[in-house]
Amino acid sequence: MHVAPAGGTAVQDHVALAEIELCGELIIAASAAEDRLSLASIDEVLRVTEEREVR
């Protein structure tokens, strides 16, 4: 069994922390909604923008 040494040697994974924050925001939005969240609502909560190619 491997135990991390004492003394504050924790490493922060900024990507994982950002993902956890977004999941929390999605859970809050879902619990506040009266019905299921639409895909557009989920994209808004997750701050996703869709880039469309103009032809």
Side-chain angles (χ1 to χ4, degrees):
M1 179 167 94
H2 177 68
V3 178
T9 59
V11 176
Q12 288 189 356
D13 184 340
H14 297 287
V15 173
L17 292 174
E19 289 177 357
I20 291 167
E21 181 180 344
L22 288 173
C23 286
E25 291 177 19
L26 189 56
I27 291 168
I28 291 167
S31 64
E34 293 181 14
D35 202 4
R36 289 182 171 211
L37 292 177
S38 67
L39 293 179
S41 296
I42 293 170
D43 286 348
E44 184 178 330
V45 170
L46 297 178
R47 297 184 289 271
V48 174
T49 58
E50 183 177 338
E51 293 184 23
R52 295 187 179 168
E53 186 177 318
V54 177
R55 293 182 186 192

